[in-house]
Amino acid sequence: MSFANLEYMSTGQRPTMRPWQYKLHSIIFESNTFYGKLFDIALLACILLSVIVVMIDSVPPYHAKYADIFYAIEWVFTILFTAEYILRLFCIRKPMAYALSWMGIIDLCAIIPTYISLLVAGTQYLLVLRALRLLRIFRIFKLWHFLDEGRFLLEALAKSVRKISIFMLFIVIIVVILGSCMYLIEGASNGFNSIPESIYWAIVTITTVGYGDISPVTPLGKLLSCILMLCGYGIIAVPTGIVTSQMMAEWRNKHISDVQCKSCGKWNHEKDAKYCRYCGASLGE
Amino acid sequence: MSFANLEYMSTGQRPTMRPWQYKLHSIIFESNTFYGKLFDIALLACILLSVIVVMIDSVPPYHAKYADIFYAIEWVFTILFTAEYILRLFCIRKPMAYALSWMGIIDLCAIIPTYISLLVAGTQYLLVLRALRLLRIFRIFKLWHFLDEGRFLLEALAKSVRKISIFMLFIVIIVVILGSCMYLIEGASNGFNSIPESIYWAIVTITTVGYGDISPVTPLGKLLSCILMLCGYGIIAVPTGIVTSQMMAEWRNKHISDVQCKSCGKWNHEKDAKYCRYCGASLGE
Amino acid sequence: MSFANLEYMSTGQRPTMRPWQYKLHSIIFESNTFYGKLFDIALLACILLSVIVVMIDSVPPYHAKYADIFYAIEWVFTILFTAEYILRLFCIRKPMAYALSWMGIIDLCAIIPTYISLLVAGTQYLLVLRALRLLRIFRIFKLWHFLDEGRFLLEALAKSVRKISIFMLFIVIIVVILGSCMYLIEGASNGFNSIPESIYWAIVTITTVGYGDISPVTPLGKLLSCILMLCGYGIIAVPTGIVTSQMMAEWRNKHISDVQCKSCGKWNHEKDAKYCRYCGASLGE
Amino acid sequence: MSFANLEYMSTGQRPTMRPWQYKLHSIIFESNTFYGKLFDIALLACILLSVIVVMIDSVPPYHAKYADIFYAIEWVFTILFTAEYILRLFCIRKPMAYALSWMGIIDLCAIIPTYISLLVAGTQYLLVLRALRLLRIFRIFKLWHFLDEGRFLLEALAKSVRKISIFMLFIVIIVVILGSCMYLIEGASNGFNSIPESIYWAIVTITTVGYGDISPVTPLGKLLSCILMLCGYGIIAVPTGIVTSQMMAEWRNKHISDVQCKSCGKWNHEKDAKYCRYCGASLGE
């Protein structure tokens, strides 16, 4: 680590960037140049490959045969990603901002589990967290317009969050009370071993998943399940209605122009408005 | 119980409130003061804790070990909530109105099961009804705006209630008839023991829950199930459509006024508009 | 059967109605008078009771004990409903029109199975068809406004029928092809005994019912199921979208006035229109 | 193959069409004439029959008894369809364009599996690909208006494809990460044999299918499943919201023109409007 970097640690911003840092920055962080593109595609391929290796490693017959090879590949990828992470820190003006950004944290999560697995066995499977790095696909292939759509979705969801959280609270209360009733009605002999397990059953039922590992046996229990099922079938309409109406409101907002009334300074006029709806002044002038 | 309270019993309204009653009222019913806030948060914590204790108590291994401790805790909470309930009655101007309000009934339900469990074993699990008291979360944290959203949801649901109840009547009739047909086709040897049980199966199928505790065996039975499943898959669209269109109508009603511009005759002005957005004439005249 | 009725058989309309026929008609078909109301409520109670009796009769323990009683009750109800059916035919001006109307056919279906059960055993369970008679609830309690809502639902569904039938055709083709692929991949040893059974499995999967009586075992089969599941999860949006947008269009149509342009004779003007959009003539005059 | 056809192979267009080719073309490709209609209906019947034969052939008891008959029928249909395919190539002006069109490829897929089954056993079940030929139903019965509705659906879906693919990417990432967590929590002893299998379970759960072939056993696993289920139950609203709002935008675009009245400045006129519905001025100028 250079002296400049140590100085940076206190000021939060790297004082100067050497030419090779600029060069590296353009390769790693940008994808305009040929080498930049090459790096990005290679990186994406590495991420995909490493996730697939972790998955296959967990399949017993393959693990039995090729455990050593997978272990080696895992370390190769981990060292590669570690090198990439350190390089990223080295060639950016504000390394701390990157390290604390979502992308920086995800990049760190993609390498830590291998090191931890030296101490605690089994954690190497957490390497599937590397799947999160696939979100880079948007940045790498310049799929900004895709992200724009995603932002539209997230905004609509974010604005529905209140309504949906109330809805979820009601679901939780229904599920706690009906789950407990089922525990009283069916009892441990029919698989409803405890209230938490009965609540698990109630969630399995109200969400229409229906594993069938626990299912009602007594007539009264079956009656209550029927109510719970019809309930779950009917109220699925509620989050759907919330999100749909929110999306259409969002869509409508797209039809709001960004013209400001020169007379009263108010915004939010519709695209086809000619006069300010607050003061009546003409908008077109 | 004071003489004033006895007198109240006939008139329905407490004649006078003593200073300590005012003091207590502000602590228990309001949350502006420091003690009021403290009381509310402590109450919420007690509710959550007591519900969790009831749940854990039902898990066999924990029940085997700590049954006595849980029993004690249960009584502590019950006595606390009983005291709180009596205090609430004592420091409000109209105790009867409170006792008969939704909140009052829920508060009573939260303490009664323990007393009943002295007479009838097993009813202590009904204490999960205390979960309903969690609805206080809205009042305590002044989440009125959340409740406002909830009211919006409830209104949209209430206005859809007719359409949804017709929809439910059709589902019930379909389910009764197809369930009976399956009873004739499959018979008791394939798990369809009786018509009520076959109707239970039909509900499990049409709501797409699909436990698999009963499933068709004969070819004809499988064919009929396929129809029922496709039916259930398709008509989920109906309640969704009802609620969504209702919500959008609500949303529109909230935003669009029914004022017509006297100058150009245009409708569809937003509720906060003061001037016509087409001709600029004042809408207020 | 009177001579007048025989004559009617050829002309299709009863020539005259005797006073007692008018009287009976007002009791059976109308519910303005006290006796009319009484008859309707008694009828509804009988329908409900008879359906419940058929259901309970199918439960083995009750059937073992009370089969004779149930059999007797069944015949009592059948004779009652038969008498009612004959009376309806007798006191209406156009008996044939009634017999061929939906209500008439349903009324007939409610009595026939008992008579058939004398010839073919087991058909008495078809008596649950009487559940369809519960639709009378709308007529009896003058729930016309409910029916109005129902008509709104049916209209929206009817107008979506083309889109939904195309959607269903696609589902059927997907299900046939993927079902057959699964038959080739999994084979009879894993429960996929034949192509029809594999198609049944595919429908169970795509509709998200998921009994679990047949489930994929091989890795390739699991991969294909995942695609089918995600498919079914995603395209549920299509019928929902169709019905919702149709409902909103319906709702919008309610905002179409029934004013006809006096100049060009065209309809379909919006409620807020002042001038015909086809010829420009004023609508208000 | 005639000389003209050989010449065509290089130029991509048949130079001349003989009279019998015109005649055949009108029978096979058109359905205006009596023979054209007859051919089309016979073809559709053959397709349906051949698909049904393949299905029934796969049912073990029928296969045991009638395998030879089914084999013969299969070859009859294959030869018929082969003849039809060759005739189609012979009597069209641009055979290559037909062979490479969707319909041409589907027609080829409907005959190839039988020939391949001579080399590789078992592939004859791929003949269900003939089901795709049922799409001809639209063309044959001139159900263009149905196709028009289908196009509407496809357009709405195509425009939603970006949003839905982002949504699917998120689902895949959630499913990979939660599936791996479940593998760590539950382990092979509870049926979660490997990460790919756990991901399969996660998809079964999030899509609310819920076979129950694998289901969580440990308390922590059950808690995580509950989150996954509620997740899947809630986010079904997202694709629904996307498709519905897209469909309504499509619908609006189809009906509302973007013409502004020059006289009163009003927008939102329907596509078939000739005069402004607010001021009566002509819109066409």
Side-chain angles (χ1 to χ4, degrees):
Chain A
M1 216 178 269
S2 69
F3 178 76
N5 271 312
L6 286 175
E7 186 185 35
Y8 143 72
M9 295 249 151
S10 52
T11 63
Q13 182 163 344
R14 203 186 296 279
T16 56
M17 296 265 284
R18 311 265 169 81
W20 62 268
Q21 284 180 319
Y22 275 116
K23 176 93 187 162
L24 213 62
H25 185 273
S26 80
I27 291 174
I28 295 180
F29 281 92
E30 284 157 41
S31 41
N32 305 327
T33 62
F34 173 75
Y35 290 109
K37 261 184 198 153
L38 202 73
F39 175 83
D40 280 343
I41 291 169
L43 179 64
L44 212 62
C46 284
I47 296 170
L48 255 177
L49 262 174
S50 71
V51 169
I52 291 169
V53 165
V54 174
M55 282 187 192
I56 295 174
D57 184 27
S58 76
V59 182
Y62 297 114
H63 187 77
K65 268 199 208 159
Y66 311 111
D68 296 341
I69 300 172
F70 290 139
Y71 191 70
I73 294 174
E74 214 170 282
W75 272 105
V76 169
F77 279 124
T78 304
I79 288 162
L80 270 178
F81 290 147
T82 311
E84 182 222 343
Y85 185 71
I86 292 169
L87 280 178
R88 275 183 194 273
L89 284 178
F90 256 89
C91 69
I92 202 167
R93 185 169 286 277
K94 299 182 179 176
M96 216 56 201
Y98 163 71
L100 295 176
S101 72
W102 276 108
M103 271 303 178
I105 292 168
I106 290 172
D107 289 355
L108 194 64
C109 289
I111 48 177
I112 282 185
T114 322
Y115 296 111
I116 296 178
S117 74
L118 290 177
L119 307 170
V120 187
T123 53
Q124 77 271 17
Y125 295 121
L126 283 174
L127 285 171
V128 289
L129 283 175
R130 280 174 184 166
L132 281 173
R133 292 197 84 195
L134 288 177
L135 288 174
R136 273 186 185 282
I137 209 166
F138 293 124
R139 214 192 59 74
I140 288 174
F141 290 116
K142 306 222 171 254
L143 303 174
W144 299 119
H145 44 280
F146 266 75
L147 271 188
D148 195 55
E149 306 278 350
R151 202 174 305 131
F152 173 83
L153 283 185
L154 284 179
E155 252 170 55
L157 278 177
K159 282 188 185 160
S160 322
V161 120
R162 267 195 206 169
K163 293 200 197 84
I164 285 182
S165 59
I166 289 178
F167 174 73
M168 279 296 169
L169 186 74
F170 276 104
I171 296 242
V172 165
I173 290 176
I174 288 174
V175 146
V176 165
I177 289 172
L178 282 186
S180 309
C181 291
M182 284 302 280
Y183 173 68
L184 287 178
I185 293 169
E186 295 277 339
S189 57
N190 293 333
F192 292 78
N193 297 315
S194 63
I195 289 181
E197 212 149 320
S198 302
I199 290 171
Y200 158 77
W201 168 86
I203 291 174
V204 168
T205 300
I206 210 173
T207 58
T208 78
V209 171
Y211 286 128
D213 51 349
I214 312 173
S215 59
V217 177
T218 62
L220 193 57
K222 284 184 179 177
L223 188 68
L224 210 67
S225 331
C226 285
I227 292 165
L228 196 59
M229 281 177 234
L230 287 174
C231 210
Y233 186 67
I235 59 178
I236 183 85
V238 175
T240 306
I242 293 168
V243 171
T244 304
S245 57
Q246 193 58 50
M247 274 184 186
M248 297 209 53
E250 284 292 299
W251 184 84
R252 196 175 171 280
N253 284 348
K254 269 189 180 163
H255 292 236
I256 302 292
S257 75
D258 50 358
V259 173
Q260 184 185 23
C261 174
K262 272 157 195 150
S263 171
C264 69
K266 293 249 173 72
W267 299 82
N268 285 332
H269 298 95
E270 303 222 347
K271 284 245 167 81
D272 61 347
K274 293 209 156 168
Y275 296 90
C276 173
R277 59 180 152 127
Y278 298 105
C279 69
S282 175
L283 291 171
E285 289 172 78
Chain B
M1 215 177 272
S2 69
F3 178 75
N5 272 311
L6 285 174
E7 185 185 37
Y8 143 75
M9 294 248 150
S10 53
T11 63
Q13 183 162 343
R14 203 185 295 282
T16 56
M17 296 265 285
R18 311 269 168 79
W20 63 266
Q21 284 179 318
Y22 276 116
K23 177 91 187 164
L24 214 61
H25 184 276
S26 81
I27 291 174
I28 296 181
F29 281 92
E30 283 157 41
S31 40
N32 306 328
T33 62
F34 172 75
Y35 290 109
K37 262 184 197 153
L38 202 73
F39 175 83
D40 280 342
I41 290 167
L43 178 65
L44 212 61
C46 284
I47 296 169
L48 255 177
L49 261 174
S50 72
V51 170
I52 290 168
V53 164
V54 174
M55 283 188 192
I56 295 174
D57 183 27
S58 76
V59 183
Y62 296 115
H63 187 78
K65 269 200 208 157
Y66 309 111
D68 296 341
I69 300 171
F70 290 139
Y71 191 70
I73 294 173
E74 213 170 284
W75 271 106
V76 169
F77 278 124
T78 303
I79 288 161
L80 270 178
F81 289 147
T82 311
E84 182 222 343
Y85 185 72
I86 292 168
L87 280 178
R88 275 183 195 273
L89 285 178
F90 256 89
C91 70
I92 202 166
R93 186 169 285 277
K94 298 181 181 175
M96 217 56 202
Y98 163 72
L100 295 175
S101 72
W102 277 108
M103 272 304 179
I105 292 167
I106 290 172
D107 290 355
L108 194 64
C109 288
I111 49 177
I112 281 185
T114 322
Y115 296 110
I116 297 178
S117 74
L118 291 175
L119 307 169
V120 188
T123 54
Q124 76 272 17
Y125 297 120
L126 284 174
L127 285 171
V128 289
L129 283 175
R130 280 172 184 167
L132 281 173
R133 292 197 84 195
L134 289 177
L135 288 173
R136 275 187 184 279
I137 210 166
F138 293 123
R139 214 192 58 75
I140 288 174
F141 290 117
K142 308 221 170 255
L143 301 174
W144 299 120
H145 44 280
F146 267 75
L147 270 189
D148 195 54
E149 305 277 351
R151 204 173 305 131
F152 173 83
L153 283 185
L154 284 179
E155 252 170 57
L157 278 177
K159 282 188 186 162
S160 322
V161 121
R162 267 194 206 170
K163 292 201 197 83
I164 285 182
S165 59
I166 289 178
F167 173 73
M168 280 296 169
L169 186 73
F170 276 105
I171 296 241
V172 165
I173 290 175
I174 288 174
V175 146
V176 166
I177 289 172
L178 282 186
S180 309
C181 290
M182 285 302 281
Y183 172 67
L184 288 177
I185 293 168
E186 295 276 339
S189 56
N190 294 331
F192 292 78
N193 297 314
S194 63
I195 290 182
E197 212 149 318
S198 301
I199 291 171
Y200 158 76
W201 168 85
I203 291 174
V204 168
T205 300
I206 210 172
T207 58
T208 78
V209 171
Y211 286 129
D213 51 348
I214 312 174
S215 58
V217 177
T218 62
L220 192 58
K222 285 184 177 175
L223 188 69
L224 209 68
S225 331
C226 285
I227 292 165
L228 196 59
M229 281 177 234
L230 287 174
C231 209
Y233 186 67
I235 58 179
I236 183 83
V238 174
T240 307
I242 294 167
V243 172
T244 304
S245 58
Q246 192 59 49
M247 273 182 186
M248 297 204 52
E250 285 291 297
W251 184 86
R252 197 173 175 282
N253 286 346
K254 227 170 152 187
H255 285 83
I256 308 295
S257 75
D258 52 357
V259 172
Q260 181 186 22
C261 175
K262 272 161 195 147
S263 171
C264 70
K266 172 80 184 69
W267 299 81
N268 285 333
H269 297 95
E270 305 221 346
K271 281 252 167 77
D272 60 348
K274 292 200 163 166
Y275 294 89
C276 174
R277 59 181 154 125
Y278 296 102
C279 69
S282 174
L283 291 170
E285 291 172 77
Chain C
M1 216 178 270
S2 70
F3 178 77
N5 271 310
L6 286 175
E7 186 187 36
Y8 142 74
M9 294 248 150
S10 53
T11 63
Q13 184 161 342
R14 204 185 295 280
T16 57
M17 295 265 286
R18 310 268 168 81
W20 62 266
Q21 283 180 319
Y22 276 116
K23 177 91 187 164
L24 213 62
H25 184 276
S26 80
I27 291 174
I28 296 181
F29 283 92
E30 283 157 40
S31 40
N32 305 327
T33 61
F34 174 74
Y35 290 109
K37 262 183 196 150
L38 203 72
F39 174 82
D40 281 341
I41 290 168
L43 179 63
L44 213 62
C46 284
I47 295 170
L48 254 177
L49 262 174
S50 71
V51 170
I52 291 168
V53 164
V54 175
M55 283 187 191
I56 295 174
D57 183 26
S58 75
V59 182
Y62 296 114
H63 186 79
K65 267 198 209 159
Y66 310 111
D68 296 341
I69 300 171
F70 290 140
Y71 191 70
I73 295 174
E74 214 169 284
W75 272 105
V76 168
F77 278 124
T78 304
I79 288 161
L80 271 179
F81 290 148
T82 311
E84 182 222 342
Y85 185 72
I86 291 167
L87 280 179
R88 276 183 194 273
L89 284 178
F90 257 89
C91 69
I92 202 166
R93 186 170 285 278
K94 300 181 181 177
M96 217 58 201
Y98 163 71
L100 296 175
S101 71
W102 276 108
M103 271 305 178
I105 293 168
I106 291 172
D107 289 356
L108 194 64
C109 288
I111 47 177
I112 282 185
T114 322
Y115 297 110
I116 296 178
S117 74
L118 291 177
L119 308 169
V120 188
T123 54
Q124 76 272 18
Y125 295 121
L126 284 174
L127 285 171
V128 288
L129 284 175
R130 280 173 184 164
L132 281 173
R133 292 197 85 194
L134 288 176
L135 289 173
R136 274 186 184 281
I137 210 166
F138 294 124
R139 212 191 60 75
I140 287 173
F141 289 117
K142 309 223 170 251
L143 302 174
W144 298 120
H145 44 280
F146 268 74
L147 270 190
D148 196 53
E149 305 278 352
R151 204 174 305 131
F152 172 83
L153 282 186
L154 284 179
E155 253 171 56
L157 278 177
K159 282 189 186 160
S160 321
V161 122
R162 269 195 205 169
K163 293 202 196 82
I164 286 182
S165 59
I166 289 178
F167 174 72
M168 279 298 168
L169 186 73
F170 275 104
I171 296 241
V172 165
I173 289 175
I174 288 175
V175 147
V176 166
I177 289 172
L178 282 186
S180 308
C181 291
M182 284 302 280
Y183 173 67
L184 288 178
I185 293 168
E186 295 276 340
S189 56
N190 294 332
F192 292 77
N193 297 314
S194 63
I195 290 182
E197 213 149 319
S198 301
I199 291 171
Y200 159 75
W201 168 85
I203 292 174
V204 168
T205 301
I206 210 172
T207 57
T208 78
V209 170
Y211 285 128
D213 51 348
I214 312 174
S215 58
V217 176
T218 62
L220 192 57
K222 284 184 179 175
L223 187 69
L224 209 68
S225 331
C226 284
I227 292 166
L228 196 58
M229 280 176 235
L230 287 173
C231 209
Y233 186 66
I235 57 178
I236 182 85
V238 174
T240 308
I242 293 167
V243 173
T244 305
S245 58
Q246 191 58 50
M247 273 181 187
M248 297 207 54
E250 284 293 298
W251 184 84
R252 195 174 172 279
N253 284 348
K254 269 189 181 162
H255 291 237
I256 301 292
S257 74
D258 51 358
V259 173
Q260 183 186 21
C261 175
K262 273 158 195 147
S263 170
C264 69
K266 294 249 172 74
W267 299 82
N268 285 332
H269 298 96
E270 303 222 346
K271 284 246 169 80
D272 61 346
K274 293 207 158 169
Y275 295 90
C276 174
R277 58 181 154 126
Y278 300 104
C279 68
S282 174
L283 291 171
E285 290 172 77
Chain D
M1 214 178 271
S2 69
F3 179 76
N5 271 312
L6 286 175
E7 187 186 35
Y8 143 73
M9 294 248 149
S10 52
T11 63
Q13 184 163 342
R14 201 184 298 279
T16 56
M17 295 265 286
R18 310 267 167 81
W20 62 267
Q21 284 179 319
Y22 275 117
K23 177 90 188 164
L24 213 63
H25 185 276
S26 80
I27 290 174
I28 296 181
F29 281 92
E30 282 157 41
S31 42
N32 305 327
T33 61
F34 173 74
Y35 289 110
K37 261 184 197 153
L38 202 73
F39 175 83
D40 282 342
I41 290 169
L43 179 65
L44 212 63
C46 284
I47 296 170
L48 256 177
L49 262 175
S50 71
V51 170
I52 290 169
V53 165
V54 174
M55 283 187 191
I56 295 175
D57 183 27
S58 75
V59 182
Y62 296 113
H63 187 78
K65 268 199 208 159
Y66 310 110
D68 296 340
I69 299 171
F70 290 140
Y71 191 70
I73 295 174
E74 214 169 283
W75 272 105
V76 169
F77 278 125
T78 303
I79 288 162
L80 270 178
F81 290 149
T82 311
E84 181 221 343
Y85 185 70
I86 292 169
L87 280 178
R88 275 184 194 274
L89 284 178
F90 256 89
C91 68
I92 202 167
R93 186 171 285 278
K94 300 182 181 176
M96 217 57 203
Y98 164 70
L100 296 175
S101 71
W102 275 109
M103 270 305 176
I105 292 168
I106 290 173
D107 289 356
L108 194 64
C109 288
I111 48 177
I112 282 185
T114 322
Y115 296 111
I116 296 177
S117 74
L118 291 177
L119 307 170
V120 188
T123 53
Q124 76 272 18
Y125 295 122
L126 284 174
L127 285 171
V128 288
L129 283 175
R130 281 174 184 164
L132 281 173
R133 293 196 85 194
L134 289 176
L135 289 173
R136 273 186 186 280
I137 210 166
F138 293 125
R139 213 191 60 75
I140 288 174
F141 289 118
K142 309 226 169 252
L143 302 174
W144 299 120
H145 44 280
F146 267 76
L147 271 189
D148 196 55
E149 304 279 349
R151 203 174 303 132
F152 173 82
L153 284 184
L154 284 179
E155 253 170 54
L157 278 177
K159 282 189 185 159
S160 322
V161 121
R162 269 194 204 169
K163 293 201 197 81
I164 286 183
S165 59
I166 290 178
F167 174 72
M168 279 297 168
L169 187 73
F170 275 105
I171 296 241
V172 165
I173 290 175
I174 288 175
V175 147
V176 166
I177 289 172
L178 282 186
S180 308
C181 292
M182 284 302 280
Y183 173 68
L184 288 177
I185 293 169
E186 294 277 339
S189 56
N190 294 333
F192 292 77
N193 297 315
S194 63
I195 290 181
E197 213 148 319
S198 302
I199 290 171
Y200 159 76
W201 168 86
I203 291 174
V204 168
T205 301
I206 209 172
T207 57
T208 78
V209 171
Y211 286 128
D213 51 347
I214 312 174
S215 58
V217 176
T218 63
L220 192 58
K222 284 183 179 175
L223 187 69
L224 209 67
S225 331
C226 285
I227 292 165
L228 196 59
M229 280 177 236
L230 287 173
C231 210
Y233 186 67
I235 58 178
I236 183 83
V238 174
T240 306
I242 293 168
V243 172
T244 305
S245 57
Q246 191 59 49
M247 273 182 187
M248 297 204 52
E250 285 291 299
W251 185 86
R252 199 177 173 280
N253 286 345
K254 226 168 148 187
H255 286 84
I256 308 294
S257 75
D258 51 357
V259 173
Q260 182 186 24
C261 174
K262 271 159 195 148
S263 170
C264 69
K266 172 79 184 66
W267 298 80
N268 285 332
H269 297 96
E270 305 222 344
K271 281 252 168 76
D272 59 348
K274 293 201 163 166
Y275 295 89
C276 173
R277 59 180 154 127
Y278 296 103
C279 70
S282 175
L283 291 171
E285 291 173 77

